[in-house]
């Protein structure tokens, strides 16, 4: 790996082809034979929210899948076999949720990192992803956020809209985000409300902050930065073309 590892323990577990749960302060990654098969974080909506709030699956359908297949760690498989989702839909949604939660689970932490061997997740395996791909995507997302607006205070503060300048417009996704922002909900809360991945919500919030349409809280011992319009971020590495396609598909359907 060309970059410094985000989680040296994850790299070691991948090399060992370990199976179990990697527990960190901000989330958990589940591995099978050293590959990531699921991830969850309090900061990111789960697959259930992305599917049900997004309108693709009735809540009752999700609850039935968990009740009937959760004990067998086969919820994902049940959703497909019962006709509630197509294979491609499940894979896109689940991969999107995995990378979303992994981004937060792998965020810098001062707490202990633990691994519980043999622990699995009730959702089951859909498409395993290499630890290297998860780390690479996590780093890419961190760099993208900072390229758009390098003030992380907007990521956890309530989203406070600001009046637009004459002639200033935004896209439909950002309009919906601004409409839901009441000055009290954080980006994570808005992501759950709208049924969207948390990272993409953060990205929209940073873009809105860069455009002066959302307040940027001051960093400790600093003053708020002036709003500026930044150029588009550089094109991503070809190695993550698949992840970009999954991202675009997820945004289009959820």
């Amino acid at each position: 790996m060309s970059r410094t590892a985000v989680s040296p323990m994850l790299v070691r577990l991948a090399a060992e082809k370990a199976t179990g749960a990697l527990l960190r302060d901000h989330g958990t990654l589940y591995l099978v034979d050293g590959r990531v098969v699921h991830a969850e974080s309090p900061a990111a909506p789960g697959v259930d929210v992305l599917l049900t709030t997004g309108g693709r699956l009735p809540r009752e359908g999700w609850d039935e899948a968990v009740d009937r297949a959760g004990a067998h760690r086969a919820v994902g498989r049940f959703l497909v076999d019962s006709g509630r989702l197509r294979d491609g839909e499940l894979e896109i949604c689940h991969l999107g949720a995995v990378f979303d939660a992994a981004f937060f689970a792998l965020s810098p932490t001062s707490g202990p990192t633990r691994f519980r061997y043999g622990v699995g997740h009730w959702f089951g395996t859909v498409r395993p992803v290499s630890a290297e791909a998860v780390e690479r995507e996590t780093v890419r997302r961190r760099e993208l956020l900072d390229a758009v607006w390098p003030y992380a205070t907007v990521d956890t503060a309530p989203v406070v809209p600001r009046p637009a300048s004459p002639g200033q417009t935004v896209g439909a996704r950002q309009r919906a985000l601004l409409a839901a922002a009441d000055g009290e909900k954080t980006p994570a809360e808005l992501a759950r409300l709208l049924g969207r991945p948390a990272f993409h919500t953060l990205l929209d919030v940073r873009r809105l902050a860069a455009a002066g349409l959302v307040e940027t809280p001051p960093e400790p011992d600093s003053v708020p930065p002036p709003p500026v319009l930044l150029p588009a971020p550089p094109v991503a590495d070809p190695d993550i073309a698949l992840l970009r396609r999954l991202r675009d598909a997820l945004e289009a359907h959820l």
Side-chain angles (χ1 to χ4, degrees):
M1 189 178 300
S2 59
R3 295 184 174 105
T4 301
V6 173
S7 170
M9 182 177 285
L10 177 59
V11 174
R12 176 174 62 80
L13 293 167
E16 292 177 1
K17 298 188 183 302
T19 295
L22 177 63
L23 289 76
R24 291 170 58 90
D25 278 357
H26 305 296
T28 302
L29 274 64
Y30 294 85
L31 281 66
V32 172
D33 295 331
R35 295 171 69 84
V36 179
V37 297
H38 195 75
E40 56 188 14
S41 169
V47 182
D48 59 330
V49 175
L50 297 179
L51 287 172
T52 59
T53 305
R56 179 58 190 83
L57 184 71
R59 187 74 211 190
E60 314 83 72
W62 172 265
D63 291 340
E64 181 186 3
V66 173
D67 289 342
R68 296 183 59 179
H72 306 290
R73 297 181 183 174
V75 172
R77 191 70 259 160
F78 180 87
L79 290 171
V80 173
D81 291 345
S82 62
R84 288 169 172 78
L85 294 176
R86 295 188 294 273
D87 268 315
E89 289 179 303
L90 175 66
E91 183 174 306
I92 288 171
C93 183
H94 185 253
L95 277 177
V98 166
F99 284 112
D100 198 38
F103 171 78
F104 297 97
L106 293 175
S107 61
T109 175
S110 58
T113 298
R114 304 176 301 279
F115 188 72
R116 294 181 180 173
Y117 285 91
V119 174
H121 194 274
W122 48 263
F123 191 83
T125 299
V126 177
R127 178 178 174 176
V129 183
S130 71
E132 181 180 7
V134 171
E135 287 220 337
R136 185 170 61 240
E137 177 65 3
T138 296
V139 171
R140 185 190 75 87
R141 292 184 179 205
R142 290 180 186 174
E143 293 174 346
L144 179 56
L145 287 177
D146 285 341
V148 169
W149 190 238
Y151 299 97
T153 52
V154 300
D155 295 347
T156 55
V159 179
V160 180
R162 298 180 61 186
S165 301
Q168 191 175 17
T169 60
V170 297
R173 283 179 56 84
Q174 293 178 343
R175 284 200 302 274
L177 179 59
L178 288 171
D182 57 4
E184 298 182 359
K185 294 183 181 67
T186 64
E189 292 169 333
L190 289 171
R192 285 189 173 82
L193 176 67
L194 298 171
R196 297 178 180 178
F199 170 77
H200 295 125
T201 303
L202 288 186
L203 191 57
D204 278 337
V205 169
R206 289 219 193 187
R207 285 172 173 158
L208 289 167
L213 295 171
V214 161
E215 294 282 356
T216 297
E219 301 281 350
D221 302 320
S222 69
V223 296
V228 298
L229 293 177
L230 299 179
V235 176
D237 188 300
D239 287 345
I240 58 171
L242 171 61
L243 304 181
R244 293 187 63 198
R245 291 198 298 272
L246 290 172
R247 176 202 63 194
D248 294 342
L250 185 62
E251 289 181 351
H253 294 289
L254 295 177

